[in-house]
Amino acid sequence: MINFPTKKTVSSNVLNNDNVKKTSSISNRGMSFEKKINESCEYFRTHGLAVIHKKPTPVRIVKVDYPQRSRAKIIEAYYQVASTTDYNGIYKEKYIDFEAKETSRENYLSFDYIHEHQVKHLIDIVKHGGIGFLLIYFKKRDEVYLYDLEDFLALWTIRKEADARKSIPYEDIKEKGTLVKQGFLPQLEILKAIDEKYFK
Amino acid sequence: MINFPTKKTVSSNVLNNDNVKKTSSISNRGMSFEKKINESCEYFRTHGLAVIHKKPTPVRIVKVDYPQRSRAKIIEAYYQVASTTDYNGIYKEKYIDFEAKETSRENYLSFDYIHEHQVKHLIDIVKHGGIGFLLIYFKKRDEVYLYDLEDFLALWTIRKEADARKSIPYEDIKEKGTLVKQGFLPQLEILKAIDEKYFK
C-alpha cells in the first residue's frame, strides 16, 4: 500500500503490517495513512455507520514451532502478494472495495505501485454492482482523494501505449476525484466522500 | 474454521492455513472442506459469477529477517484471532459474508467453535443490508448446508440460559438450512444455495 522509495524488490506488503517498523512520513501529523484509515473504519463500525475492514496481510507459513505446547510460534514465513485490494465492506447496502495508495510525490501517483490483479479485482467488483475506487494520499500536500475506478481506468488502460502517461497527474485526481476531509473522529471522512460521489 | 478435536488451546487459525499440515478428515474424498470452498470461489470468479475471497489468516509479525537483502523472511510471528468471518464478497449486487464450520459430530454443531465476534460481525453485515450465513459441513454425513444467520441466532441468543442448547442440532440445520449440492465444477454449489435461500 505504501510506496517504498528505495528498494522496489521488497514486497509492499512488508509495509502493510502494523507490527513492522515503518519509514516515517513527512507530513502525516504523527499517524500513518493506513492507521488513519483503520481508525476511521473502526469509528464507522462502532457507530453502526458501515462495516469496512482491512484485509490481513497474506503470509505463506512454512514452519511452525510449539515451544510451550500452548502457543504456536511461526518461525518461517514469507509475505505473499495480495490477490485483492486492502479494504472491503458494506455501506448503505452496497459492497465497497478500495485500495489505499500513498505517494510522496507532489504532482503524480506512479502506476508502478498499482498491481494489475488489484485493478482486475476492482473491475470485477464494479461489474457485479459494487463500488470500487482508490483512496490516494498525497503526503506532501496532506490531501486525500477518493478516485473512482472509472476515472482511473481512463488513464490505466492506455498506459502501455507509446505516448501514454505512466502515472496519474495530481491535477486529474484533484479535478475528477472527491476530496476526503480530514478531522478528528473520524480522522478521514471516507463515508462523506462516498456519499458525495455515489449516493447523491 | 475447522474444529480441532484434541487441543482446544491451539488457535483454530493454525488449521486455516493451506500451507500447514492438517489432520486428515474422514469423508472429504481427498479434499478438505476449506479447499472445496476456495476452489468453488475461484470457479465463480473465473466464470464471472461472483467475487468471493477467503480472507488471509491474520498473523502478528514480530521479527523479520533479510537474509539475502532481496526477500523478507519472517522469523517470529503468531496467529491472531480473526476479527471477522472467513469469506466475503459480492454476488448479484449483494454483499455476501459467511463463516465456514466443519464438524466431525454426526448430530450437532457445537457452539464452542463459533466466536462471539464472528456472530457480531455477521449481525452487523445483515443490519447494513448484506447476506450473512454459516456454511456448515457435517463430515461423517458428507453434507454441506447454508444456515442463515437468523435461524442460527434463534438458538445462539438463548445459549446462556440454563436449559438452553449448547449446540445446533443437525435436524434443525437440515430443516431450516439449504443443502449445498456437491459436484465437480464447482465442488460446492454455494451460489445455487444462495439463490434458493435469498433470491427466490
Side-chain angles (χ1 to χ4, degrees), chain A residues 149-166:
Chain A
L149 179 69
E150 209 172 294
D151 297 321
F152 170 76
L153 288 178
L155 293 172
W156 171 263
T157 46
I158 59 158
R159 73 194 181 285
K160 284 172 183 168
E161 290 175 21
D163 56 346
R165 288 190 160 279
K166 308 303 175 204

Side-chain angles (χ1 to χ4, degrees), chain B residues 173-192:
Chain B
I173 292 166
K174 190 184 177 177
E175 187 200 324
K176 297 175 189 160
T178 306
L179 184 71
V180 178
K181 293 201 180 80
Q182 298 191 52
F184 177 56
L185 283 171
Q187 312 254 356
L188 298 173
E189 294 280 12
I190 300 167
L191 298 185
K192 281 188 185 164

Side-chain angles (χ1 to χ4, degrees), chain A residues 5 25 46 51 55 68 75 87 135 137-138 159 161 181 184 187 192 197 200:
Chain A
S25 63
T46 52
V51 184
K55 290 199 178 183
Q68 301 155 352
I75 55 168
Y87 295 88
L135 198 68
Y137 180 47
F138 284 92
R159 73 194 181 285
E161 290 175 21
K181 292 200 181 81
F184 177 55
Q187 313 253 354
K192 281 189 183 161
K197 177 72 187 172
K200 254 193 174 162

Side-chain angles (χ1 to χ4, degrees), chain A residues 1-199:
Chain A
M1 183 190 102
I2 295 158
N3 296 345
F4 202 35
T6 51
K7 242 169 90 181
K8 272 181 71 179
T9 47
V10 172
S11 160
S12 65
N13 285 329
V14 175
L15 300 170
N16 273 352
N17 198 293
D18 279 336
N19 305 295
V20 175
K21 206 180 167 187
K22 283 172 197 164
T23 52
S24 62
S25 63
I26 295 160
S27 60
N28 64 2
R29 295 177 185 163
M31 186 182 284
S32 76
F33 181 45
E34 183 183 335
K35 205 172 176 200
K36 281 185 188 177
I37 304 172
N38 294 349
E39 295 202 353
S40 301
C41 289
E42 199 186 324
Y43 176 89
F44 300 146
R45 284 198 306 273
T46 52
H47 288 73
L49 302 170
V51 184
I52 299 170
H53 281 273
K54 183 180 187 299
K55 290 199 178 183
T57 304
V59 161
R60 188 171 64 86
I61 294 156
V62 177
K63 262 190 212 154
V64 181
D65 195 13
Y66 296 85
Q68 301 155 352
R69 290 190 63 79
S70 60
R71 195 185 187 194
K73 182 183 176 183
I74 299 160
I75 55 168
E76 187 182 350
Y78 300 93
Y79 293 104
Q80 284 183 301
V81 174
S83 55
T84 65
T85 47
D86 281 341
Y87 295 88
N88 78 354
I90 184 167
Y91 175 55
K92 290 187 176 173
E93 307 198 0
K94 278 284 204 179
Y95 179 100
I96 305 287
D97 204 299
F98 62 93
E99 179 67 19
K101 293 289 173 196
E102 180 173 344
T103 181
S104 51
R105 300 291 180 176
E106 201 165 346
N107 295 318
Y108 62 88
L109 175 71
S110 170
F111 282 142
D112 287 351
Y113 298 110
I114 298 164
H115 302 291
E116 288 220 36
H117 59 268
Q118 292 177 328
V119 177
K120 195 192 164 303
H121 172 76
L122 284 171
I123 292 171
D124 284 348
I125 291 305
V126 172
K127 269 186 193 163
H128 285 277
I131 289 172
F133 57 85
L134 298 181
L135 198 68
I136 303 168
Y137 180 47
F138 284 92
K139 255 190 204 176
K140 281 190 185 158
R141 297 173 181 271
D142 196 23
E143 288 173 16
V144 178
Y145 290 92
L146 180 163
Y147 190 60
D148 183 54
L149 179 69
E150 209 172 294
D151 297 321
F152 170 76
L153 288 178
L155 293 172
W156 171 263
T157 46
I158 59 158
R159 73 194 181 285
K160 284 172 183 168
E161 290 175 21
D163 56 346
R165 288 190 160 279
K166 308 303 175 204
S167 63
I168 318 166
Y170 165 77
E171 288 304 328
D172 193 78
I173 293 166
K174 190 183 177 179
E175 185 199 326
K176 297 176 189 159
T178 307
L179 183 72
V180 177
K181 292 200 181 81
Q182 299 191 53
F184 177 55
L185 283 171
Q187 313 253 354
L188 298 173
E189 294 280 12
I190 301 167
L191 298 185
K192 281 189 183 161
I194 293 174
D195 282 343
E196 201 180 321
K197 177 72 187 172
Y198 303 102
F199 289 100

